[in-house]
Amino acid sequence: MFGAGGGTSSYREAEDADLLIMWGSNARDAHPIFFHHVLKGVRRGARLYAVDPRRTTSAQWADAWLGIEVGSDISLANAIAREIITAGLANSEFVRRATTGFEAYAAAVDPYTLERAERDTGVPADLIRRLAHDYARADRAQICWTLGITEHHNAADNVFALINLSLLTGHVGRYGSGLVPLRGQNNVQGGGDMGAIPNKLTGFQDIETNLAARSRFEAAYGVLLPPKQGWHMSQMFDAMEAGELTACYIIGENPVRSEADTGRARKILTGLEHLVVQDMFRTDTAEVADVVLPATATWCEGEGTVTSSERRVQRVRKALEPPPGTRDDIEIICEIAQRLGTDWGQPSAEDLWNELRTLSPMHAGMSYQRLEELGGLQWPCPNEQHPGELFLHARLWETDPAKRGAPAPFTPVEQDPPLDKLSAEFPLRLTTGRRLDSFNTGVQSGQYETPLRRPETINLSPEDASRLGLAEGEMARISSRRGSVDAPVHLDQTLRAGLAFMTLHFPEQVATNVLTLDAWDPKSGTAEFKATAIRVDKAPAATVGDDESQHAKVGA
């Protein structure tokens, strides 16, 4: 945001906020550590709003729940903005001094009346007005979001819609006010920081436009870097399908299960000329690989660092010896380089980190010693005297234009509904999410038992289940335009009629991603996991009582 690839705020700021908006985020289940900070804020008097299609466990703590229609986030955000502007609640001085593009933005949101937003979102106009006024009037306010905002075909536009609200009200660049994207996976922030993004070098330095950074990397590595950005994952799969990419090296990822439309993903990966998988588990992706490189569990069997959603870099320390036959990721990669004719030696994790610090200015002050002594540091940390930044973009409040730097732009965006349209054949909207006890495709969390866990189900509202003649625990067949799976029914009071819910945690029981749409956002590359059109029927009699009835029945 505004040139920095991370959230603006620290976790502890939620404890001191006056208002918190959880937008497309069930942090109570998906980010429970962060939600503890939210609850501290609530107990201190902060108002909590939840914007989510489901009345989630997070929404149950909220002062108000805005039960939005899946994929109508931009209409809601634009209507909130219009109400703030027409009510005279915009932070006009901040907008004038620190932003650009306000006039075009105001014109773009003007058609989004409260009445239109109520039609688009299903949220009562009075509730939208209440949120708009409370957010604009709060002294300290944060918008927090997760995959409910980003797993859409217009993910980047959804994020822009929320950023616009913070600029309109001045809720950015100050303690307690900010934008808080909670990352979907462990160390996603760290991966991006390290340059695991096709258009960025380490430290979010643009590979095409930051010529000085590219020259610095070329001098350090003694090679010329491509002047063009690479492919993101969705583009890679398109290239594999077209035969332009014929070999793939996958490290710590399970796309056979995690990709939308897994039938297509499996077909593409099994059709490669060569597939290498490096992982600590024998995943479904490893099962179809030509070569499997067994890796250690870096969180407890190796040294390194990890970065959280608040930009905090912390040390990871070796606690256990790895099992025989496994090797550290660094060792594996350096050995491959050796066999390809380049000798990188045997660098330690600290050696590589110190190399990074010479190339990424925002990490320069983060020595291992300081990370140990201070319990971690938040970037940017440009030198070893710097304490790290608690929150970002304070510069936007400077009165001196030279100190304030480049203004933050408004980005007008328009409502764009889900691509997988509802129809008479597929009348229900399926959205996906997580449970407190499980993680992603279950490869890691499925290795242990917990009394919280229950089998995968198709969650339906009591109204829809009654209309379909389905009872609790009864087997149903769930079909989309891409395939079908069978799952037992669970009656879910948090769902309104027309909305269904499933997770991705138990693909050995129900291959949920057979159903999901792999259309992706052209700006971010994120697939639209959150908005699938489905039909639910009674399962065929042959599957009822079958020992395998919990497993996916995949069909065209």
Side-chain angles (χ1 to χ4, degrees), residues 33-55:
I33 302 302
F34 173 73
F35 200 69
H36 284 305
H37 296 278
V38 171
L39 290 180
K40 287 182 180 179
V42 169
R43 290 179 181 125
R44 291 177 179 177
R47 284 162 292 172
L48 176 63
Y49 280 86
V51 181
D52 202 292
R54 300 185 298 135
R55 190 172 183 272

Side-chain angles (χ1 to χ4, degrees), residues 82-135:
R82 183 185 187 276
E83 176 62 22
I84 289 171
I85 293 169
T86 57
L89 296 175
N91 191 324
S92 300
E93 178 59 23
F94 178 83
V95 169
R96 181 193 63 78
R97 185 180 65 242
T99 73
T100 59
F102 171 72
E103 291 77 13
Y105 174 63
V109 302
D110 191 60
Y112 291 85
T113 63
L114 295 175
E115 293 72 26
R116 172 183 170 175
E118 180 171 342
R119 291 193 303 272
D120 289 349
T121 68
V123 178
D126 287 345
L127 187 52
I128 300 173
R129 180 186 293 109
R130 176 181 155 193
L131 172 54
H133 285 238
D134 284 353
Y135 178 66

Side-chain angles (χ1 to χ4, degrees), residues 330-347:
I330 295 172
E331 182 184 354
I332 293 171
I333 293 169
C334 288
E335 177 68 17
I336 290 174
Q338 177 75 35
R339 297 191 185 195
L340 291 173
T342 301
D343 186 2
W344 290 348
Q346 296 179 321

Side-chain angles (χ1 to χ4, degrees), residues 8-52:
T8 68
S9 305
S10 300
Y11 292 163
R12 78 186 202 200
E13 293 179 59
E15 302 174 20
D16 296 320
D18 301 307
L19 184 137
L20 296 156
I21 304 175
M22 306 300 300
W23 198 315
S25 171
N26 184 17
R28 173 66 182 84
D29 284 1
H31 297 90
I33 302 302
F34 173 73
F35 200 69
H36 284 305
H37 296 278
V38 171
L39 290 180
K40 287 182 180 179
V42 169
R43 290 179 181 125
R44 291 177 179 177
R47 284 162 292 172
L48 176 63
Y49 280 86
V51 181
D52 202 292

Side-chain angles (χ1 to χ4, degrees), residues 177-189:
S177 284
L179 295 157
V180 185
L182 300 168
R183 299 307 192 182
Q185 312 288 349
N186 178 52
N187 205 31
V188 163
Q189 183 67 57

